Amino acid sequence: MSGTGLKKIARSMPNTPAQIGQGVTVWCCTPNIEAEERERIEQILSSFGKSIFVDDENCIDMSTSISGSGPAYIFLLMEAMIDAGVHMGFSRSTATTLVHHTLLGSTLYAMESKLHPAILRNSVTSPAGTTASAIYELENGKFRTVIKDAIWACYRRSLEMGGEDSNVGPGRMPVPPMVMSPSHHPRKAPRGEIVTEVENVKAKDKK
């Protein structure tokens, strides 16, 4: 939020489900915003879904990759599942209803049960069953890795758009800034081709 010239700033990252009051918004603000003002901000952001306050502004870019852009990931999964259903023989209307309610019900179940996703997944997966066969294909296709790489790519792009260093994440090493310290000791020029050529010219002049 620095560099804007404004004294009081509240920065937020909402998402598209906010249009129906089911969004989630991550936000932060400058320290000089009073408690009463923060409450008003919280009320506004909570009017279209869940609001989460963070102290670290870096969390805004991080949330962009999960909740901000996240609906697009879900819509892509939704689209793929619906298309598969149509390919198998369902009407598009029926396939859409099945996928919508499967995603909605699974999300509500996870939220209400408060169980780890791995426990919920295992509860649906019987040994050598249909779900196990599907999970095998997803794992073999590096489903987890693709999802995580997509989220990291989104985060890096968010940093780039904000003029920040995007060299972060798995396999990335932040490049430390180069600091040139002045030398207090005079150094002689290295003896190489340039010095040799100059000496040759001087030698010719003397002749």
Side-chain angles (χ1 to χ4, degrees), residues 14 23 25 30 40 58-59 106 109 119 124 126 169 200 203:
T25 303
T30 50
R40 289 165 57 192
N58 290 328
C59 291
S106 299
Y109 181 34
I119 296 176
V124 188
S126 303
N200 290 338

Short mmCIF file of all heavy atoms in Angstrom, two decimals, residues 14 23 25 30 40 58-59 106 109 119 124 126 169 200 203:
data_model
loop_
_atom_site.label_atom_id
_atom_site.label_comp_id
_atom_site.label_asym_id
_atom_site.label_seq_id
_atom_site.Cartn_x
_atom_site.Cartn_y
_atom_site.Cartn_z
N PRO A 14 -11.70 -9.59 -2.93
CA PRO A 14 -12.96 -10.35 -2.90
C PRO A 14 -12.93 -11.43 -4.00
O PRO A 14 -11.91 -11.61 -4.66
CB PRO A 14 -14.01 -9.29 -3.19
CG PRO A 14 -13.28 -8.32 -4.08
CD PRO A 14 -11.82 -8.33 -3.67
N GLY A 23 -19.45 -14.67 -1.12
CA GLY A 23 -18.02 -14.48 -1.39
C GLY A 23 -17.18 -14.59 -0.14
O GLY A 23 -17.68 -14.73 0.98
N THR A 25 -13.73 -12.42 1.33
CA THR A 25 -12.87 -11.27 1.07
C THR A 25 -11.78 -11.19 2.12
O THR A 25 -12.06 -11.18 3.32
CB THR A 25 -13.68 -9.95 1.10
OG1 THR A 25 -14.73 -10.02 0.13
CG2 THR A 25 -12.79 -8.77 0.79
N THR A 30 -3.98 0.10 6.74
CA THR A 30 -2.86 0.79 7.36
C THR A 30 -3.10 0.91 8.87
O THR A 30 -4.25 0.98 9.31
CB THR A 30 -2.68 2.19 6.75
OG1 THR A 30 -3.96 2.86 6.76
CG2 THR A 30 -2.17 2.11 5.33
N ARG A 40 -16.48 -0.58 10.54
CA ARG A 40 -17.32 -0.19 9.40
C ARG A 40 -16.88 -0.89 8.13
O ARG A 40 -17.70 -1.34 7.32
CB ARG A 40 -17.26 1.33 9.21
CG ARG A 40 -18.01 2.10 10.31
CD ARG A 40 -17.64 3.57 10.31
NE ARG A 40 -17.89 4.22 9.03
CZ ARG A 40 -17.45 5.43 8.72
NH1 ARG A 40 -16.74 6.12 9.60
NH2 ARG A 40 -17.72 5.95 7.55
N ASN A 58 1.11 -9.02 2.51
CA ASN A 58 1.52 -10.09 1.61
C ASN A 58 0.43 -11.16 1.48
O ASN A 58 0.34 -11.86 0.47
CB ASN A 58 2.81 -10.75 2.10
CG ASN A 58 4.01 -9.82 1.95
OD1 ASN A 58 4.06 -9.01 1.04
ND2 ASN A 58 4.97 -9.95 2.85
N CYS A 59 -0.40 -11.27 2.51
CA CYS A 59 -1.48 -12.26 2.49
C CYS A 59 -2.53 -11.93 1.43
O CYS A 59 -3.28 -12.81 1.01
CB CYS A 59 -2.14 -12.37 3.86
SG CYS A 59 -1.06 -13.11 5.12
N SER A 106 -20.65 -31.47 -1.02
CA SER A 106 -19.33 -31.85 -0.49
C SER A 106 -18.71 -30.70 0.29
O SER A 106 -18.10 -30.91 1.35
CB SER A 106 -18.40 -32.26 -1.65
OG SER A 106 -18.92 -33.38 -2.34
N TYR A 109 -20.65 -30.28 3.59
CA TYR A 109 -20.32 -31.41 4.46
C TYR A 109 -18.95 -31.22 5.10
O TYR A 109 -18.77 -31.43 6.31
CB TYR A 109 -20.35 -32.70 3.64
CG TYR A 109 -20.05 -33.96 4.42
CD1 TYR A 109 -20.44 -34.10 5.75
CD2 TYR A 109 -19.39 -35.02 3.82
CE1 TYR A 109 -20.17 -35.27 6.46
CE2 TYR A 109 -19.11 -36.18 4.52
CZ TYR A 109 -19.50 -36.31 5.85
OH TYR A 109 -19.23 -37.45 6.53
N ILE A 119 -9.55 -37.37 5.41
CA ILE A 119 -10.45 -38.28 6.12
C ILE A 119 -11.77 -38.41 5.35
O ILE A 119 -12.30 -39.52 5.18
CB ILE A 119 -10.71 -37.78 7.55
CG1 ILE A 119 -9.41 -37.79 8.37
CG2 ILE A 119 -11.79 -38.61 8.24
CD1 ILE A 119 -9.56 -37.21 9.76
N VAL A 124 -15.06 -42.10 1.44
CA VAL A 124 -15.79 -42.39 0.20
C VAL A 124 -15.09 -43.47 -0.63
O VAL A 124 -15.66 -44.02 -1.55
CB VAL A 124 -15.92 -41.09 -0.66
CG1 VAL A 124 -16.82 -41.31 -1.86
CG2 VAL A 124 -16.43 -39.94 0.18
N SER A 126 -13.59 -46.96 -1.15
CA SER A 126 -13.53 -48.37 -0.74
C SER A 126 -12.35 -49.05 -1.42
O SER A 126 -12.02 -48.72 -2.56
CB SER A 126 -14.82 -49.10 -1.12
OG SER A 126 -15.95 -48.46 -0.55
N GLY A 169 8.56 -19.58 -4.11
CA GLY A 169 7.87 -20.86 -4.21
C GLY A 169 8.81 -22.03 -4.43
O GLY A 169 10.04 -21.86 -4.45
N ASN A 200 52.59 -2.11 -26.41
CA ASN A 200 53.16 -2.27 -27.76
C ASN A 200 53.16 -0.96 -28.52
O ASN A 200 54.09 -0.64 -29.25
CB ASN A 200 52.39 -3.33 -28.53
CG ASN A 200 52.63 -4.72 -27.97
OD1 ASN A 200 53.64 -4.96 -27.31
ND2 ASN A 200 51.72 -5.65 -28.26
N ALA A 203 55.86 1.25 -27.28
CA ALA A 203 57.17 0.76 -27.75
C ALA A 203 57.43 1.21 -29.18
O ALA A 203 58.54 1.59 -29.56
CB ALA A 203 57.23 -0.77 -27.65
#
